[in-house]
Amino acid sequence: MSELRKDPIIGRWVIISTERGKRPSDFISPSHKRKKTVGFCPFCKGHEFTTPNEIMAFRGPDKMGASDWTLRVVPNKFPALHIEGDLDRSGDGIFGRMNGIGAHEVIIETPHHDLSLASMSTKSAADVLWAFYSRMTDLRKDKRFKYVLIFKNEGEDAGSTLEHTHSQLIALPIVPKRVQEELDSAKKYHNFMEKCIYCDLIEQEANINKRIIYQNTSYIAVSAYAPRVPFETWILPRHHESSFMPDNNDFTYLAETLQSVLRMYDKILDVPPYSFVIHTAPFTEEDNSYYHWHIEIFPKLTRTAGFEWGSGFYINPTSPEDATKYMREVL
Amino acid sequence: MSELRKDPIIGRWVIISTERGKRPSDFISPSHKRKKTVGFCPFCKGHEFTTPNEIMAFRGPDKMGASDWTLRVVPNKFPALHIEGDLDRSGDGIFGRMNGIGAHEVIIETPHHDLSLASMSTKSAADVLWAFYSRMTDLRKDKRFKYVLIFKNEGEDAGSTLEHTHSQLIALPIVPKRVQEELDSAKKYHNFMEKCIYCDLIEQEANINKRIIYQNTSYIAVSAYAPRVPFETWILPRHHESSFMPDNNDFTYLAETLQSVLRMYDKILDVPPYSFVIHTAPFTEEDNSYYHWHIEIFPKLTRTAGFEWGSGFYINPTSPEDATKYMREVL
């Protein structure tokens, strides 16, 4: 029997079409699979001159050379938004607009072309998270910005145009719609229950123990209760925290959690394209009792661009309980 | 200069990245292009036995034979929802679910494998709209349903698995999130302004005349002000009407409008994959003064599945004003 499920936070319904009951092997396709080809790569060591000027980089002690980096942050060469200028809001009747002010940066996660975020060392993955945090902390000072959207598109089918592993960051003068919806809903829940809905979700998932993919002392990774796509996974900090930040000044546990999920994807879905987005509170309300930052990860396995995308109503052929089982088998 | 634009109805922000300024030719790709191959097709005349039993069909006068149809509606062979059963709502803490009760039907728009909704006669296209309306009217009688979602995915990249032109319909015990958001926002606007926001949008678009793609006495087709993707187009009835229905008992003008938009896509984007979704009021509030039914159409040209899909924040490389110009050039 199929089932209709409602996302507890933003109220989106999905059909879990268990009769279609797709297994991981049903999604594997050689054309999907992420590849590493040989050829000139602007993100590789020695090609620093091909990117715009470095915003930030991690280098070892006594390493000062241009190519002595382990991680670099550079402006996007084709930025969607520009850093110079005023916001200049304007409207015309029911229409509202603003100048395209913002920052668009690229985090080059490693100098090694053949590594991925899943296969690099935990230390390197933690450095990537530190770079996110550090850039966010810096951009917060710019009063024009309300939000920093941190995300990664990996593989061509997930929208990535360069295969060298990298993430992106966009600083925005607005709050993205999905985050605003989560905030509004989390606020309502908190007004009513005087609790954080995400904290309740974590507690309930721990009690039910049917959708936990991975956990350690600080983080929990669960299959979403009403996933839009097969294998949609959320990583949440166990303790209430509204904004993305390290746990006890340490990103090791988060790196471990994220890498564990990505490694499970790579194993059961044969190195699939995927995306993740960090959901965090806006700068204007960065420390509050209702919102709980988290990461949403989804492999890009199916074509969801049709009616689902246009209606906000999704059909998912793999239940999150099955997805959890498949993921845990390879742990 | 890039621009941030806010959708006047549901408040989603998009970046119109005019510096990327993509032209129609930038999106054309032989792998995208919709193709018609030879091979066994379950939707072709003479193969009626391969589909589940007909729910409805259009036949000419004195044509009673199984293969004498011009349009057929059949249940989806692999339905996402099932028609038999009770809704049986249940919940577990913050999680809510319901049995997967609903109807999932396929509208086979023509017996001719080589035709498309764009290339068939206006009379045939109007018949497709009559089939939508007729099925909706019938399913409305079932008190378990709140909404009928009518949509079309055309081309493999838009999620279609069969190339013979067809549309789909899903009757639901819930209201899809996007429609609910539109309803909520249209209601708020109406409370404040005592006007329909879509009526105001139509009036303003007519005055500005920068985003009108096509119009006739009954309908207007415009490029969305804050389009998620290049060439996103909305068709709206000029006169206020909350639920999808014929104009003066006639679907000719709507068929003409829809076909005109699809023919422009085919010409400038070289027969691209596309989807459309009919947005109409739920059965429980089908005649009201705040909501205005419309069709949202979007060619599937770019990979939008990454962060955009996860954050609800879109980057669009073609402004709707440019899209309108390109479309009107081929009119």
Side-chain angles (χ1 to χ4, degrees), chain A residues 44-325:
Chain A
C44 276
K45 198 187 274 282
H47 298 165
E48 293 78 18
F49 60 93
T50 63
T51 67
N53 287 342
E54 218 165 86
I55 295 169
M56 188 188 101
F58 292 157
R59 290 184 166 81
D62 306 323
K63 304 274 189 180
M64 295 294 285
S67 292
D68 287 335
W69 52 279
T70 57
L71 178 150
R72 291 176 84 216
V73 180
V74 297
N76 191 308
K77 207 167 180 174
F78 306 100
L81 294 165
H82 288 272
I83 195 81
E84 288 95 14
D86 294 323
L87 289 178
D88 190 19
R89 270 175 188 272
S90 63
D92 182 6
I94 58 172
F95 300 126
R97 55 169 294 288
M98 225 190 276
N99 280 341
I101 303 297
H104 191 170
E105 305 179 358
V106 176
I107 297 93
I108 308 171
E109 299 165 4
T110 167
H112 302 292
H113 192 82
D114 55 329
L115 283 181
S116 71
L117 187 53
S119 66
M120 63 180 62
S121 71
T122 308
K123 163 78 175 67
S124 299
D127 275 354
V128 172
L129 299 167
W130 273 114
F132 293 168
Y133 182 65
S134 161
R135 291 306 304 141
M136 214 168 131
T137 305
D138 187 39
L139 287 159
R140 174 183 287 130
K141 294 173 203 154
D142 190 324
K143 292 302 171 204
R144 296 171 305 170
F145 300 145
K146 284 194 182 158
Y147 196 81
V148 169
L149 188 58
I150 297 167
F151 61 96
K152 180 174 172 75
N153 293 335
E154 182 81 16
E156 215 183 328
D157 279 353
S160 178
T161 47
L162 281 163
E163 64 185 31
H164 191 121
T165 188
H166 66 283
S167 321
Q168 295 183 67
L169 165 165
I170 299 185
L172 291 163
I174 55 101
V175 179
K177 184 165 164 54
R178 265 299 304 288
V179 175
Q180 190 60 56
E181 284 169 12
E182 290 173 355
L183 282 163
D184 292 347
S185 175
K187 250 182 233 176
K188 271 186 208 159
Y189 188 88
H190 193 271
N191 283 345
F192 198 68
M193 308 285 278
E194 301 202 18
K195 291 191 290 183
C196 161
I197 188 164
Y198 293 93
C199 287
D200 278 7
L201 182 143
I202 292 166
E203 195 185 322
Q204 207 179 328
E205 289 294 3
N207 288 339
I208 300 173
N209 195 18
K210 280 194 304 191
R211 284 179 293 270
I212 300 175
I213 287 171
Y214 179 88
Q215 55 186 326
N216 53 36
T217 54
S218 306
Y219 298 91
I220 184 165
V222 295
S223 288
Y225 172 74
R228 287 157 288 183
V229 293
F231 302 94
E232 177 177 339
T233 303
W234 296 1
I235 295 176
L236 306 104
R238 284 175 177 280
H239 297 292
H240 185 80
E241 200 68 74
S242 1
S243 294
F244 174 73
M245 61 171 61
D247 179 56
N248 287 319
N249 215 27
D250 189 353
F251 270 125
T252 310
Y253 284 123
L254 182 57
E256 263 177 28
T257 311
L258 182 57
Q259 285 192 307
S260 298
V261 173
L262 298 179
R263 284 171 188 164
M264 290 185 229
Y265 282 170
D266 281 357
K267 267 195 197 165
I268 64 169
L269 299 165
D270 197 23
V271 202
Y274 70 86
S275 293
F276 69 66
V277 179
I278 299 183
H279 290 230
T280 179
F283 293 155
T284 47
E285 42 191 318
E286 61 189 352
D287 187 12
N288 64 60
S289 50
Y290 46 88
Y291 192 70
H292 199 115
W293 79 266
H294 59 282
I295 306 180
E296 300 190 7
I297 322 171
F298 29 89
K300 181 72 185 57
L301 305 169
T302 48
R303 290 191 186 84
T304 42
F307 91 96
E308 301 178 300
W309 189 79
S311 66
F313 180 71
Y314 292 83
I315 302 178
N316 182 341
T318 307
S319 82
E321 293 76 24
D322 285 348
T324 306
K325 265 187 229 152

Side-chain angles (χ1 to χ4, degrees), chain A residues 94, chain B residues 8-9 185-186 189-190 195-202 290:
Chain A
I94 58 172
Chain B
I9 294 127
S185 174
Y189 188 86
H190 193 271
K195 292 191 291 182
C196 160
I197 189 166
Y198 293 93
C199 288
D200 277 6
L201 182 143
I202 292 166
Y290 45 88

Side-chain angles (χ1 to χ4, degrees), chain B residues 83 133-148 171 283 286:
Chain B
I83 195 81
Y133 182 64
S134 162
R135 290 307 304 140
M136 214 169 132
T137 306
D138 187 40
L139 288 159
R140 173 182 289 128
K141 295 174 201 152
D142 191 323
K143 294 301 170 204
R144 296 172 303 172
F145 300 145
K146 284 195 182 157
Y147 197 81
V148 169
F283 293 156
E286 60 189 352

Side-chain angles (χ1 to χ4, degrees), chain A residues 1-13 15-17 19-20 76 78-82 84-87 89-90 92-101 104 149 151-153 156-160 170 172-179 181 189 197 200-201 204-205 208 211 225 228-229 232 275-277 279 296 298 300 303-315, chain B residues 1-13 15-17 19-20 76 78-82 84-87 89-90 92-101 104 149 151-153 156-160 170 172-179 181 189 197 200-201 204-205 208 211 225 228-229 232 275-277 279 296 298 300 303-315:
Chain A
M1 187 69 180
S2 295
E3 204 173 284
L4 279 155
R5 291 196 184 186
K6 191 174 190 171
D7 178 87
I9 293 126
I10 62 164
R12 174 187 48 230
W13 285 93
I15 299 179
I16 306 297
S17 178
E19 279 152 74
R20 301 188 178 191
N76 191 308
F78 306 100
L81 294 165
H82 288 272
E84 288 95 14
D86 294 323
L87 289 178
R89 270 175 188 272
S90 63
D92 182 6
I94 58 172
F95 300 126
R97 55 169 294 288
M98 225 190 276
N99 280 341
I101 303 297
H104 191 170
L149 188 58
F151 61 96
K152 180 174 172 75
N153 293 335
E156 215 183 328
D157 279 353
S160 178
I170 299 185
L172 291 163
I174 55 101
V175 179
K177 184 165 164 54
R178 265 299 304 288
V179 175
E181 284 169 12
Y189 188 88
I197 188 164
D200 278 7
L201 182 143
Q204 207 179 328
E205 289 294 3
I208 300 173
R211 284 179 293 270
Y225 172 74
R228 287 157 288 183
V229 293
E232 177 177 339
S275 293
F276 69 66
V277 179
H279 290 230
E296 300 190 7
F298 29 89
K300 181 72 185 57
R303 290 191 186 84
T304 42
F307 91 96
E308 301 178 300
W309 189 79
S311 66
F313 180 71
Y314 292 83
I315 302 178
Chain B
M1 187 70 181
S2 294
E3 204 174 285
L4 279 155
R5 289 198 186 184
K6 192 173 191 171
D7 178 87
I9 294 127
I10 62 165
R12 174 187 50 231
W13 286 93
I15 300 179
I16 307 295
S17 176
E19 280 153 71
R20 300 188 180 191
N76 191 308
F78 306 99
L81 295 165
H82 288 271
E84 286 94 18
D86 294 321
L87 289 179
R89 269 174 189 274
S90 63
D92 183 6
I94 58 171
F95 300 126
R97 56 168 296 286
M98 227 190 275
N99 280 342
I101 304 297
H104 192 169
L149 188 58
F151 61 96
K152 180 174 173 72
N153 292 335
E156 217 183 326
D157 279 353
S160 178
I170 299 184
L172 292 163
I174 54 103
V175 178
K177 182 163 164 58
R178 264 299 304 286
V179 176
E181 285 170 10
Y189 188 86
I197 189 166
D200 277 6
L201 182 143
Q204 207 181 328
E205 289 294 5
I208 301 174
R211 285 178 292 270
Y225 173 74
R228 289 157 286 185
V229 292
E232 177 176 340
S275 293
F276 69 67
V277 179
H279 290 231
E296 300 190 6
F298 30 88
K300 182 74 182 56
R303 293 193 183 80
T304 42
F307 90 96
E308 301 180 299
W309 189 78
S311 65
F313 181 70
Y314 293 83
I315 302 179

